[in-house]
Amino acid sequence: MTVIKSHCPYCALQCGMALQHEHEATTVAGDEAFPVNEGALCIKGWTAGALLSHPDRLTTPLVRGARGRLVPSTWEEALDRAARGIRGTQERSGREAVGVLGSGSLTNEKAYLLGKFARVALRTPSIDYNGRFCMSSAAAAATRAFGIDRGLPFPVADIARAEAILLVGANPAETMPPLMRYFQQQREAGGFLAVADPRRTATAETATLHLSLSPGSDAALAYGLLHVLVRDHLVDVDYVRARTEGFEAVRAEAAAHWPGSVERVTGVPQAAIAETAHRLARARSAMVLTARGPEQQSTGVANALAYVNVALALGLPGRADSGFGTLTGQGNGQGGREHGQKTDQLPGYRRIDDPAARAHLARVWDVAEDAIPVAGSSAYEMLDRLGEHGGVRTLLVFGTNPAVSAPRAFHVQERLSRLETLVVADFFLSETAALADVVLPAAQWAEEDGTTTTIEGRVVRRRRAALPPPGVRTDVDILCGLADALGEGRRFRFAGAAEVFEELREATRGGVADYAGITWDRIDREGGVFWPCPSADHPGTPRLFGDGFPTPSGRARFHAVRPAASAETPDAAFPLHLTTGRLLAHYQSGTQTRRVADLVGQAPEAIVEVHPLLARRHGLSEGDRVRLATRRGWAEFRVRLALGLRPDTVFVPFHWGGLGSANRLTNPALDPVSRMPEFKVCAARLERAAPVPVEV
Ligand code: SF4
């Protein structure tokens, strides 16, 4: 049997896989030659082959019939129905009334093509993607501070050599277990690891120090650290002078954050704050790493910038085995935010309001510059107004499931049901696809070629190991077919993803995320290429910032952000913090992982983690059913007692829909800069669940 090297369909670590396909089944092994995971996979990766032959696979297009039910159709009928819906809406309500929602799970080629489809075939500004719910705060902070947004500006292997690390709001032991090898090596070499998280997670268990901060107090903790650095003369003054700007205003703000007051706000003892600051400052190499904990908040950009301030004060970005980074979540969360799915962005991480960027893309796409739309609304703002006058009335969804993954999900479901036409391309009938008027069955990860860009900024190849089932098309084919059905096929004549990538190279040439020097052949030869890579003879860029920052001054920028309260804080009616996150066995909205028996066996149903003291106050025991209510509504969960959680906080994973949906509860308050919803903190109360009726 031929072994095909590819990469995992799930998270941004993009573990290397060796795939073999025989007798309708695909077996998965870890690729020992891929340096990131060296053969290791987590249980999601090991079991990913089950997705390909799953009996729930969609293998024929579906259209909503006269009786309101989804019924099988031909591709011609389905594409025609979608095209008629698009045309009708645009004729009645304008081009912007057709919207597109993409995904950080799409390959670079698909993300690029989806952005082009929206701007060229639909000529709508109404496109955004689910990375708005994931990476937008980190991206905005990095762009402001460093002039470039590459989640990790160094390879993950550097983690093992850092003498001290502060990890904020990340739980890689569950979300990307093979990454833990680097933290383990770091600890075995005598390194210091502090983990800031309201939960004592599996990652926090491995740390030297667990900083159990109160949800929403992330920026306050960063300023507590900065205060100690300034007070104890631990700031890298030479670095700050030579390589940064804006420190004085940050120093003035930090002066107000005495460790005693920070302890009262965060719950983290002063001694732990001081020890963390000193250990980071004394280390020859150190890192500050953040993830969704501080970022998925209505203050997410300010929170991320507060930790950038800590890293800059320590002189870390650009130093060997050191730096500031953010752990990207979705499979192509990095590449997915570079190539034009974001409403304010054109390929190559160009701004859509930059005249030079518009002129460049107009040449590549062979359109008039003024035919390229301007920016539209962010993902939640688009979803919030679906079906309204002035809002999107026909929506195309590729690779995402907003009926489960959007905040205030019940409201979003109601909005989805108001659309004139909802078109969803997916490989399973997700909760969103079940509401659609047209469902287009799409090929999966191991059935098509393409590239993704990993957590490190390394562009790698996904390779086809099996043919899609008969009746299933790739997203590239679907988009080109839709463009044809709309009479716009001339600019969408791609024989496959390889041709799309060639156009992407030109589209990104000269941009911040420059892929012009990357080819599929080169990726094959070199095992991946790090962007930026502007020319064929450029070696790629594994490490950034060694000799400057891509800002106008060449310096990194401090930002004197002010810690602010969450949009919603506990009160008498809703006395608890609710925070949300992921479990080891599941991924995102669970469309895939809730269908894999081994994963369901590990985590069969929605749970809420409750501290035993809190459980006792409510008369709850392990395994009880309980109702959790917020100002958005209520949902029901099985109680899991968790000693490592703060007694004022409950934790719910967001992998389920229906009554166990965490996002029925979450707050759609948005960060003013990134438009990131506040998934990570809101006010909640525990209630007894209604007893399940017993049949007699
Ligand atoms: Fe896949 Fe991420 Fe698990 Fe690796 S860590 S096997 S990329 S889900």
Side-chain angles (χ1 to χ4, degrees):
M1 276 191 295
T2 313
V3 174
I4 304 288
K5 298 285 186 76
S6 191
H7 294 270
C8 178
Y10 297 117
C11 85
L13 201 55
Q14 285 296 281
C15 291
M17 288 180 160
L19 307 176
Q20 290 181 297
H21 186 76
E22 193 179 48
H23 305 311
E24 310 287 305
T26 302
T27 54
V28 173
D31 177 4
E32 292 177 8
F34 188 62
V36 171
N37 60 312
E38 295 173 319
L41 299 173
C42 78
I43 186 169
K44 294 188 288 293
W46 283 118
T47 57
L51 298 170
L52 300 168
S53 53
H54 198 283
D56 288 356
R57 276 299 292 272
L58 296 169
T59 55
T60 182
L62 305 172
V63 296
R64 198 158 294 278
R67 296 189 179 171
R69 296 168 63 97
L70 284 170
V71 294
S73 80
T74 64
W75 273 98
E76 290 65 31
E77 186 185 350
L79 291 176
D80 181 60
R81 174 87 172 260
R84 274 191 283 124
I86 290 167
R87 269 198 299 267
T89 293
Q90 290 198 318
E91 281 163 16
R92 286 188 297 275
S93 308
R95 290 190 174 276
E96 66 278 8
V98 172
V100 176
L101 190 67
S103 163
S105 295
L106 302 179
T107 59
N108 290 321
E109 292 78 4
K110 297 191 220 178
Y112 167 78
L113 198 59
L114 195 63
K116 178 179 176 181
F117 179 81
R119 274 59 176 254
V120 173
L122 301 177
R123 291 183 60 186
T124 178
S126 307
I127 174 170
D128 211 45
Y129 83 126
N130 69 6
R132 186 70 68 178
F133 299 164
C134 186
M135 295 310 300
S136 58
S137 291
T143 302
R144 277 168 167 64
F146 305 123
I148 189 170
D149 161 36
R150 204 181 84 185
L152 287 184
F154 43 76
V156 289
D158 287 8
I159 291 170
R161 293 187 292 271
E163 287 187 4
I165 299 177
L166 170 61
L167 183 61
V168 186
N171 183 17
E174 290 207 65
T175 57
M176 42 182 72
L179 183 68
M180 289 306 287
R181 65 186 47 235
Y182 300 108
F183 289 100
Q184 200 177 334
Q185 289 164 18
Q186 187 255 357
R187 298 278 291 110
E188 284 166 4
F192 168 84
L193 173 64
V195 172
D197 199 307
R199 305 166 60 213
R200 191 171 178 84
T201 60
T203 308
E205 285 286 346
T206 71
T208 322
L209 210 51
H210 172 212
L211 311 176
S212 179
L213 78 170
S214 175
S217 67
D218 304 76
L221 179 61
Y223 270 108
L225 294 164
L226 270 167
H227 183 99
V228 174
L229 294 178
V230 173
R231 182 194 69 191
D232 297 348
H233 308 289
L234 298 170
V235 172
D236 186 337
V237 177
D238 292 341
Y239 179 97
V240 168
R241 254 190 225 127
R243 303 204 56 191
T244 71
E245 53 198 23
F247 178 61
E248 284 312 315
V250 169
R251 190 213 308 253
E253 178 66 31
H257 297 272
W258 291 91
S261 65
V262 173
E263 177 175 329
R264 280 194 294 282
V265 173
T266 63
V268 178
Q270 297 183 51
I273 296 170
E275 184 183 351
T276 303
H278 278 252
R279 295 292 290 265
L280 287 167
R282 282 207 309 268
R284 275 171 305 177
S285 52
M287 289 179 178
V288 177
L289 303 174
T290 65
R292 301 307 81 72
E295 296 160 11
Q296 284 180 318
Q297 298 187 32
S298 61
T299 54
V301 177
N303 291 347
L305 285 169
Y307 285 96
V308 170
N309 289 342
V310 173
L312 290 175
L314 290 162
L316 304 182
R319 197 203 291 180
D321 303 323
S322 303
F324 173 87
T326 185
L327 303 181
T328 296
Q330 292 191 81
N332 196 27
Q334 180 68 56
R337 66 186 193 261
E338 297 166 359
H339 301 306
Q341 292 187 88
K342 274 169 103 171
T343 196
D344 52 357
Q345 186 200 72
L346 291 172
Y349 230 127
R350 291 178 160 97
R351 290 183 59 94
I352 204 164
D353 58 2
D354 173 3
R358 296 173 66 84
H360 177 77
L361 265 300
R363 276 194 300 279
V364 175
W365 288 342
D366 186 23
V367 297
E369 208 178 304
D370 60 4
I372 298 174
V374 296
S377 304
S378 71
Y380 182 76
E381 291 165 297
M382 178 163 65
L383 293 168
D384 184 36
R385 299 197 56 210
L386 293 178
E388 270 186 12
H389 179 69
V392 161
R393 289 168 170 260
T394 282
L395 181 69
L396 281 64
V397 177
F398 280 76
T400 185
N401 186 14
V404 175
S405 62
R408 202 184 167 202
F410 202 55
H411 167 72
V412 169
Q413 287 165 23
E414 190 270 327
R415 292 283 163 172
L416 287 165
S417 67
R418 287 194 196 188
L419 286 164
E420 291 171 1
T421 309
L422 173 60
V423 180
V424 176
D426 211 324
F427 27 82
F428 294 118
L429 195 71
S430 68
E431 286 80 355
T432 305
L435 298 171
D437 302 288
V438 181
V439 181
L440 304 172
Q444 289 197 48
W445 58 287
E447 297 164 349
E448 56 186 350
D449 289 304
T451 60
T452 58
T453 305
T454 73
I455 190 171
E456 314 172 293
R458 188 195 306 246
V459 185
V460 297
R461 280 279 313 275
R462 289 241 185 108
R463 297 180 182 86
R464 172 183 275 187
L467 289 174
V472 167
R473 294 188 183 178
T474 68
D475 286 327
V476 170
D477 288 342
I478 291 172
L479 285 169
C480 293
L482 264 176
D484 251 338
L486 289 165
E488 298 287 343
R490 183 170 74 80
R491 296 184 180 85
F492 293 86
R493 296 270 178 260
F494 298 102
E499 289 185 8
V500 178
F501 189 79
E502 287 306 306
E503 189 176 293
L504 178 155
R505 291 176 61 205
E506 286 311 308
T508 64
R509 188 183 293 280
V512 175
D514 192 334
Y515 283 43
I518 304 175
T519 64
W520 281 18
D521 282 348
R522 196 171 158 189
I523 297 171
D524 291 346
R525 280 197 312 276
E526 299 176 21
V529 182
F530 289 83
W531 73 262
C533 181
S535 60
D537 57 357
H538 189 283
T541 316
R543 293 179 182 80
L544 297 168
F545 313 142
D547 52 8
F549 297 91
T551 58
S553 64
R555 293 163 176 259
R557 304 177 187 118
F558 281 94
H559 286 79
V561 291
R562 282 256 160 91
S566 306
E568 198 176 80
T569 51
D571 56 18
F574 296 93
L576 300 169
H577 293 289
L578 164 63
T579 190
T580 65
R582 284 170 52 188
L583 299 177
L584 171 64
H586 289 290
Y587 181 70
Q588 306 301 65
S589 74
T591 303
Q592 297 164 92
T593 52
R594 280 187 276 124
R595 289 182 161 87
V596 177
D598 287 336
L599 302 179
V600 174
Q602 280 208 1
E605 61 179 338
I607 56 108
V608 54
E609 285 191 357
V610 182
H611 190 280
L613 286 176
L614 180 63
R616 195 177 325 145
R617 274 215 304 277
H618 287 267
L620 294 168
S621 305
E622 175 88 17
D624 284 353
R625 286 198 65 76
V626 71
R627 180 174 288 193
L628 195 58
T630 70
R631 290 189 171 84
R632 269 68 55 198
W634 57 269
E636 288 189 358
F637 305 97
R638 186 80 62 193
V639 170
R640 180 192 285 172
L641 298 180
L643 258 177
L645 190 61
R646 295 170 55 96
D648 62 359
T649 301
V650 291
F651 165 78
V652 175
F654 51 65
H655 307 297
W656 284 269
L659 286 185
S661 168
N663 282 323
R664 285 168 68 117
L665 308 172
T666 47
N667 188 352
L670 301 180
D671 182 281
V673 176
S674 68
R675 319 309 284 167
M676 166 74 85
E678 188 142 81
F679 289 105
K680 276 292 184 276
V681 53
C682 67
R685 70 166 171 256
L686 285 167
E687 299 171 350
R688 274 257 162 220
V692 178
V694 180
E695 283 187 27
V696 286

